[in-house]
Amino acid sequence: MAAVCVSGYLNAHAALVHRRTLTWSCRPLRSLPVSSVFRQCEFRFYEELNDFLKPEWRKRSFTHTFDGTPAVKDRIESLGVPHTEVDLILVDGDAVPFAHKLRGGERVAVYPMFERLELAGTNRLRPRPLRQPRFVLDVHLGRLAAYLRLLGFDCLYRNDYHDDELLTISRAEHRTVLTRDTGLLKRAALTHGAFLHAIDPRRQLREVLDRFQLESRIAPFTRCARCNGVVEQLPGEQAATTVPADIARRQCDFSRCNSCGQVYWPGSHLTRLRQRLAEVGVTI
């Protein structure tokens, strides 16, 4: 199990974590009592993981009482943080896996993904990213699904998916579950999932693009916003038989979904869409 030198670690990401909040990670917690039944350890969560905690626990260290010798993953999720959002755990300065047993007296630091920081030799907990970015979205994210599809990303969505269906699809088709349901993300069977902190669909889109580093993969208007099918160019003479006559006369650039047959052409809606997405830094 790799040991992490906290002083060097701080130098690498001083902009993310202040030095004085991490200095305790390297020394054992001696002041907390350990009994044969109830035990205690000290937790500290960093960055956006604080969003999942009770207000009184945010951005500070706090004592947590438990019994037995539970896995650190169980205690983290009992405090409200889904395992899918955790990328690094330090127990008394050492990086540990989710299965690490707590016995009392430890100091536990829990970190999200550091997108622009490589920590060689540490026990990173998030699974490797899926080779192809493919998603399945829960029932409350219909607008986000449409935005992602318009940018060319493979997204499954229905407004009547049950949690078990989402898990089955995720595992069978190697898709990442996008959701604002922390209970779903705590399901042990889920390996690839992501919590969306934003409520506005456009800001959710920005969040997904950043978290999964998708900017370079954007391929606008190559998927159908309605059904997720592949969209391909449609010759004008074929489009003329399916679109209103005035549109056929004024437009020459058409495309059609191979799955549902929806025909697309540029219009005033495209200008509005570009303006709305530009407000969150997305250019199409």
Side-chain angles (χ1 to χ4, degrees), residues 80-128:
V81 180
H83 67 274
T84 57
E85 306 307 295
V86 175
D87 197 34
L88 179 67
I89 303 172
L90 301 183
V91 175
D92 293 333
D94 292 334
V96 302
F98 280 129
H100 178 84
K101 298 291 186 181
L102 295 176
R103 304 184 184 281
E106 300 97 336
R107 294 178 185 267
V108 183
V110 188
Y111 299 89
M113 177 186 291
F114 294 112
E115 295 170 353
R116 297 175 177 83
L117 179 66
E118 287 298 326
L119 303 175
T122 60
N123 194 344
R124 305 299 290 272
L125 298 174
R126 284 189 181 169
R128 284 182 173 274

Side-chain angles (χ1 to χ4, degrees), residues 18 58 61 65 69 76 79 85 106 134 136 144 177 183 192-193 205 207 217-218 223 234 244 275 282-283:
H18 194 280
R58 294 173 186 169
S61 59
T65 302
T69 55
I76 288 172
L79 294 170
E85 306 307 295
E106 300 97 336
R134 291 150 51 91
V136 56
L144 172 62
V177 175
H192 290 83
L205 174 64
E207 194 175 336
R217 293 176 177 261
I218 292 175
R223 282 197 177 268
L234 180 67
Q275 290 173 343
V282 178
T283 302

Side-chain angles (χ1 to χ4, degrees), residues 192-252:
H192 290 83
F195 180 82
L196 299 177
H197 296 260
I199 297 176
D200 178 83
R202 290 176 301 159
R203 298 197 179 280
Q204 290 173 342
L205 174 64
R206 181 74 264 170
E207 194 175 336
V208 172
L209 294 177
D210 290 342
R211 174 163 175 167
F212 296 99
Q213 301 178 21
L214 299 178
E215 204 83 33
S216 64
R217 293 176 177 261
I218 292 175
F221 314 119
T222 55
R223 282 197 177 268
C224 179
R226 292 175 58 183
C227 77
N228 196 48
V230 175
V231 171
E232 295 182 345
Q233 287 297 117
L234 180 67
E237 60 272 18
Q238 294 184 32
T241 64
T242 59
V243 302
D246 62 325
I247 297 296
R249 288 193 300 269
R250 289 188 287 108
Q251 298 289 343
C252 59

